[in-house]
Amino acid sequence: MVERARSARSVLVRHPWAIGMIEARPRPGTPLLRHFDRVLGCLVNSGFSAALATHAFSALDAYTYGFALTESTLPFTPADGAEQSFAEEVAPSPDEYPHLVRTLGELMGSGTYSFADEFDVGLDLILDGFEQRLTQAS
């Protein structure tokens, strides 16, 4: 599931028009149905019930599509220093946005923050939740 999500994100970032095209089709074609079948099969064969597999697939797709869409519309290109430069350009007032300023300070102060890394962090959170649900269902 991790590789599938990473691969889909990579393609969608390179081709941001693809999300609209995929979602605009009135009926999925054979390749998309085959993909759905394989993903659901992977989840069901890993112990997910049909319902939990459907929920997991839906959540993963929504997260992946949403992240790729956000990434493709950022006002900067994630790269060395781009996030830092953007944060400095926006420079929110600490009086009006104390939590945002604190968060930006902690993230940017580390010198290693990259928005692109957020994808794997969020993916881990989602997959941890699936694992917990799967364990509870057993």
Side-chain angles (χ1 to χ4, degrees):
M1 293 294 101
V2 170
E3 287 307 311
R4 179 193 166 276
R6 285 179 180 159
S7 175
R9 171 186 166 225
S10 176
V11 169
L12 294 171
V13 167
R14 282 195 317 273
H15 308 286
W17 49 265
I19 294 172
M21 188 174 186
I22 291 168
E23 297 303 317
R25 296 185 78 176
R27 294 181 356 175
T30 302
L32 192 55
L33 289 174
R34 188 174 296 119
H35 170 71
F36 290 167
D37 184 68
R38 288 184 178 148
V39 172
L40 290 169
C42 179
L43 292 167
V44 169
N45 290 335
S46 295
F48 285 69
S49 67
L52 188 54
T54 301
H55 300 323
F57 186 22
S58 177
L60 268 175
D61 264 12
Y63 176 70
T64 303
Y65 284 19
F67 195 94
L69 181 62
T70 297
E71 199 168 21
S72 71
T73 60
L74 288 173
F76 57 87
T77 301
D80 291 338
E83 290 87 348
Q84 178 74 38
S85 295
F86 182 73
E88 290 169 3
E89 182 182 316
V90 173
S93 162
D95 293 331
E96 290 184 66
Y97 308 103
H99 305 294
L100 182 57
V101 169
R102 177 181 173 198
T103 301
L104 286 172
E106 288 180 23
L107 290 174
M108 299 305 154
S110 72
T112 60
Y113 178 78
S114 169
F115 177 79
D117 294 341
E118 292 296 325
F119 182 77
D120 283 341
V121 173
L123 188 58
D124 284 346
L125 289 169
I126 291 168
L127 294 175
D128 287 350
F130 295 161
E131 185 176 19
Q132 183 180 13
R133 285 282 185 102
L134 189 56
T135 301
Q136 291 172 350
S138 299

